[in-house]
C-alpha cells in the first residue's frame, strides 16, 4: 500500500500591505518579509505620493512617510526595489490618481535592472471611482481620470501583457458603509464604465484578453456567511456581465480574479488582541470556497486601530495565511459549498439586490454619471451601520458589550505600534532637493512639455510618462501637468444641508441645541474640517450628518484643506465650535498650525475638537496645547459627542 500525498491546489499569493518612512527603509522591510515566506509585494504609498504632491509641498506637511512610502522620482523607486528582481516579482501597487506615473517609474526601474518588461507581473489599483466615493485621493475630474485608467490598460495590452492595469476596488466601499448589494453593484458598475471606455482604445480581437486582465480588490467583513456568499455572487455576476454585455466566449477571460484585504474598519482600539480572531474569520470567507477563492490575500495586523504595525505584527498575520494554506487540508478539496441550499439562496438574494442597484445606475448613465448618488447612498448606509452599533443592535465585543478586560500584554513598552521618526520628512525633502539639483533640467522640461502635449491632445499619456520618469521628473511635476490640462476636482461630501429622517431619539439633543442657539443669538454653527491629505472622510461625514440631524448649522467642505483654509472658513461662517478629523498620523503638526492660525485670527476662544487614530500620549499633548476634546475610534457614541459639542458652545463655557 502506497501512502501518496493528495494533490493540493497552489495557494494564493501571500502579501502584506507595507511601506513607511523612506524607500530605503521600506525596501529593507520588503526583503525581510519575502525572506519570511511572503510571495508577493503590496506597496503602500504615502498620501503626498497618492495625491500627486512632492514631499516639500505645503499640503504634504506632516504626511511624508506616514501611511506609506514616499516616491517622488526615479531614484526613490530605484531604492524601493533595490535587490528585488522585478521580472520575478508579483507587485501590487495601491495607487490610483497617480497610477500612470508610478507604473512608469516601475517600468523605468525594471529596464534599468535589465528585465524583460513584457514579463512584469502585478497590479496598479487605478480605480478613481471609489476614490470619489470613499477614499479621497483623486486629483482630476471623473472623465479625464477614466481616460487615464484606460490609457494604462491600452498601454499594458501592448507592452505589459501579464500586468493587471486596474484593480476595481470595492474594499473602501464597504469601509464607507456599503451594504453587500451596494458593494457588488458599485464595483461592477465601475468595471463596466472602464471596459466601455477601453473598447475604443484596443483592437476588437484583443478586447477579450483585456477583460481577462481586469482584476478586483475586495473587502471581507466579519459577517462570515454573507461575505462568503458575496464572493460567490461576485464571480457569478461578473461571468454574466462578461457574457451578456461584452460577448466574451472564453471562460478564462470571464473569470473573476480578485485580491482581498480583510476589513480594517472592524478592528477595534478596545481589547485589540480580539482583532486576531476577527482577521482569521474574515480570511476564511475568501479562502474556503474554492470557486470564489481569492488570488491574493493581504491581512491587516491586529494593532492597526492603534497605529502603524511593527514588523513582528505583520509577520503574525503572514503566519496566519501560511498555517491555513500549508498545515490544513483546505487545498486538497473541491468547493465545500456547492449544492448547499442555504448558501445558494443567500447568493441569489445578493445577486437580485445587486442587479436592482445596477439597473438604477444604468438608468442614470452609469457609474461616472451616478457618483453623487452613490456617495449619498454610502453616507446613509454608514449612518445606519453606526447607529446599530451605538444602540447595541449590532454587538461588537469589547466595544459595546463586555468592555471589562485584562490589560493586554501585547502592547509592550512601545505602546504596541511603530512610530515614524519626524526627522524622516526633512530627510526626504533634502534628498528631493539633491535630486532636482543633479538632474538635467532641460531634459525634464522637454519631457514634461511632451507629456502636456499628449494630455492636451487626448493621446495615450503612458509613453510620455515613461519618458518623463527616465528624464528625472517628479511626482508633483507629473501631477501638476495633469492638473493644468484637466483641472482639479472636489468630490461630493454626501452630506446634504437638509436633515434626514433619522431624528428619532435625538429629541433631547435637539432641545439642547435649540437652548444654546437661543443664548448665542443664532443657530449653533459647527465647522467640520479635514486638514492635510487624509481622504478617509467616513468619520467626518458621520459627525456632520449627526450634528445636522441634531439641529446644528453644519459647515463641511470635504477633504484636503490647508489649515489656512479651515481657519478662513471658521472666520467667515462664525463657527462656535471647530472639529478636525485626521486619520493619517499627521495630527500633531497640522493641529498645532490650526491652533496658531485660530489665535492669530481672533478665534482663540472657539473650542477645537479633534478625532482620529491618536495615541494616548499624542492626545495628552493636544489637550495641553489647548484642544478641547480628543476622540479616537473607541468613542463610537455619536450622541455623547454631540452633547459635548453643545456644552462647548454654551456661552458660559466659551467665556470660561
Amino acid at each position: 500500500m502506497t501512502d501518496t500525498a493528495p494533490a493540493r491546489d497552489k495557494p494564493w499569493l501571500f502579501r502584506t500591505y507595507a511601506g513607511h518612512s523612506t524607500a530605503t527603509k521600506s525596501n529593507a522591510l520588503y526583503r525581510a518579509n519575502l525572506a519570511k515566506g511572503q510571495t508577493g509585494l503590496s506597496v503602500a504609498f504615502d498620501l503626498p505620493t497618492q495625491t500627486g504632491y512632492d514631499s516639500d509641498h505645503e499640503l504634504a506637511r506632516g504626511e511624508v512617510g506616514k501611511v506609506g512610502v514616499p516616491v517622488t522620482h526615479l531614484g526613490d523607486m530605484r531604492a524601493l526595489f533595490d535587490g528585488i528582481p522585478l521580472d520575478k516579482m508579483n507587485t501590487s501597487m495601491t495607487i490610483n490618481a497617480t497610477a500612470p506615473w508610478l507604473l512608469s517609474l516601475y517600468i523605468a526601474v525594471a529596464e534599468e535592472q535589465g528585465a524583460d518588461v513584457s514579463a512584469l507581473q502585478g497590479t496598479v489599483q487605478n480605480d478613481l471611482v471609489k476614490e470619489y466615493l470613499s477614499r479621497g485621493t483623486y486629483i482630476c475630474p471623473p472623465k479625464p481620470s477614466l481616460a487615464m485608467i484606460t490609457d494604462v490598460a491600452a498601454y499594458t495590452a501592448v507592452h505589459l501583457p501579464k500586468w493587471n492595469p486596474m484593480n476595481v476596488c470595492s474594499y473602501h466601499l464597504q469601509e464607507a458603509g456599503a451594504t453587500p448589494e451596494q458593494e457588488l453593484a458599485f464595483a461592477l458598475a465601475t468595471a463596466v464604465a472602464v471596459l466601455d471606455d477601453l473598447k475604443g482604445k484596443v483592437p476588437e480581437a484583443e478586447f477579450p484578453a483585456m477583460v481577462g486582465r481586469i482584476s478586483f480588490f475586495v473587502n471581507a467583513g466579519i459577517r462570515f456567511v454573507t461575505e462568503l456568499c458575496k464572493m460567490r455572487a461576485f464571480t457569478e455576476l461578473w461571468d454574466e456581465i462578461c457574457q451578456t454585455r461584452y460577448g466574451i466566449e472564453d471562460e478564462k477571460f470571464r473569470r473573476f480574479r480578485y485580491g482581498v484585504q480583510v476589513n480594517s474598519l472592524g478592528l477595534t482600539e478596545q481589547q485589540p488582541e480580539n482583532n486576531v480572531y476577527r482577521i482569521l474569520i474574515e480570511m476564511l470567507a475568501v479562502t474556503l470556497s474554492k470557486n470564489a477563492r481569492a488570488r491574493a490575500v493581504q491581512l491587516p495586523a491586529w494593532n492597526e486601530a492603534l497605529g502603524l504595525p511593527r514588523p513582528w505584527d505583520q509577520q503574525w498575520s503572514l503566519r496566519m495565511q501560511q498555517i491555513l494554506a500549508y498545515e490544513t487540508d483546505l487545498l486538497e478539496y473541491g468547493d465545500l459549498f456547492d449544492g448547499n441550499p442555504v448558501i445558494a439562496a443567500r447568493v441569489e438574494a445578493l445577486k437580485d439586490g445587486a442587479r436592482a442597484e445596477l439597473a438604477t445606475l444604468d438608468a442614470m448613465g452609469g457609474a461616472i454619471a451616478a457618483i453623487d448618488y452613490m456617495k449619498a447612498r454610502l453616507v446613509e448606509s454608514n449612518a445606519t451601520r453606526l447607529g446599530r452599533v451605538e444602540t447595541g443592535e449590532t454587538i461588537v465585543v469589547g466595544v459595546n458589550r463586555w468592555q471589562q478586560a485584562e490589560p493586554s500584554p501585547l502592547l509592550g513598552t512601545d505602546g504596541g505600534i511603530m512610530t515614524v521618526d519626524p526627522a524622516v520628512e526633512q530627510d526626504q525633502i533634502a534628498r528631493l532637493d539633491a535630486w532636482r539639483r543633479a538632474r538635467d533640467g532641460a531634459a525634464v522640461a522637454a519631457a514634461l512639455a511632451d507629456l502636456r502635449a499628449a494630455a492636451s491632445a487626448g493621446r495615450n499619456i503612458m509613453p510620455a510618462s515613461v519618458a518623463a520618469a527616465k528624464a528625472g521628473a517628479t511626482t508633483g511635476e507629473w501631477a501638476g501637468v495633469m492638473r493644468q490640462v484637466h483641472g482639479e476636482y472636489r468630490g461630493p461630501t454626501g452630506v446634504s444641508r437638509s436633515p434626514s429622517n433619522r431624528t428619532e431619539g435625538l429629541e433631547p439633543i435637539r432641545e439642547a441645541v435649540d437652548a444654546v442657539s437661543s443664548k448665542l443669538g443664532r443657530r449653533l454653527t459647527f465647522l467640520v474640517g479635514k486638514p492635510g491629505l487624509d481622504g478617509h472622510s467616513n468619520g467626518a461625514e458621520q459627525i456632520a450628518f449627526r450634528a445636522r440631524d441634531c439641529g446644528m448649522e453644519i459647515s463641511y467642505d470635504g477633504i484636503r484643506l490647508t489649515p489656512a483654509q479651515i481657519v478662513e472658513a471658521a472666520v467667515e461662517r462664525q463657527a462656535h465650535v471647530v472639529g478636525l478629523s485626521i486619520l493619517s498620523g499627521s495630527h500633531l503638526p497640522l493641529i498645532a498650525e490650526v491652533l496658531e492660525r485660530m489665535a492669530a485670527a481672533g478665534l482663540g476662544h472657539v473650542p477645537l475638537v479633534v478625532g482620529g487614530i491618536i495615541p494616548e500620549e499624542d492626545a495628552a499633548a493636544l489637550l495641553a496645547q489647548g484642544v478641547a476634546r480628543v476622540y479616537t475610534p473607541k468613542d463610537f457614541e455619536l450622541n455623547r459627542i454631540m452633547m459635548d459639542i453643545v456644552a462647548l458652545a454654551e456661552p458660559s463655557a466659551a467665556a470660561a
Side-chain angles (χ1 to χ4, degrees), residues 409-595:
L410 295 174
L411 296 180
T413 58
D414 58 3
I417 57 173
M418 184 176 72
T419 56
V420 175
D421 186 345
V424 159
E425 185 165 322
Q426 290 307 312
D427 177 56
Q428 173 68 14
I429 291 172
R431 282 184 282 104
L432 173 59
D433 287 342
W435 176 268
R436 289 182 181 132
R437 289 194 302 270
R439 66 186 183 175
D440 183 339
V444 171
L448 292 174
D450 289 344
L451 176 64
R452 186 177 296 106
S456 299
R459 298 196 303 271
N460 192 309
I461 63 168
M462 282 302 296
S465 295
V466 173
K470 293 177 180 178
T474 68
T475 297
E477 290 166 342
W478 180 90
V481 170
M482 296 302 113
R483 288 182 167 97
Q484 290 166 11
V485 174
H486 301 302
E488 290 199 71
Y489 179 73
R490 290 202 65 78
T493 67
V495 182
S496 69
R497 297 185 65 84
S498 303
S500 72
N501 59 0
R502 304 176 188 277
T503 56
E504 184 178 350
L506 301 180
E507 290 82 6
I509 308 175
R510 292 172 66 86
E511 291 172 4
V513 170
D514 289 342
V516 169
S517 296
S518 295
K519 293 179 183 179
L520 293 168
R522 59 187 175 88
R523 182 57 46 180
L524 192 167
T525 300
F526 180 36
L527 184 142
V528 179
K530 283 197 64 65
L533 297 177
D534 170 34
H536 283 107
S537 58
N538 302 335
E541 289 158 2
Q542 291 307 313
I543 290 290
F545 192 96
R546 181 67 60 87
R548 177 204 64 192
D549 285 355
C550 288
M552 300 182 202
E553 180 72 26
I554 288 301
S555 174
Y556 175 55
D557 294 330
I559 63 171
R560 218 181 301 167
L561 299 171
T562 64
Q565 289 172 320
I566 289 171
V567 174
E568 182 181 343
V571 171
E572 178 185 331
R573 295 160 201 180
Q574 298 180 289
H576 296 111
V577 180
V578 174
L580 304 182
S581 171
I582 307 173
L583 284 83
S584 62
S586 58
H587 43 268
L588 290 177
L590 289 177
I591 292 166
E593 183 178 348
V594 170
L595 285 168

Side-chain angles (χ1 to χ4, degrees), residues 127-134 149 186 190 193 367-368 371 374:
D127 179 353
L128 264 299
V129 176
K130 63 90 179 171
E131 295 299 318
Y132 303 129
L133 300 179
S134 55
I149 293 170
F186 294 179
T190 297
I368 299 298
I371 284 171
M374 291 190 288

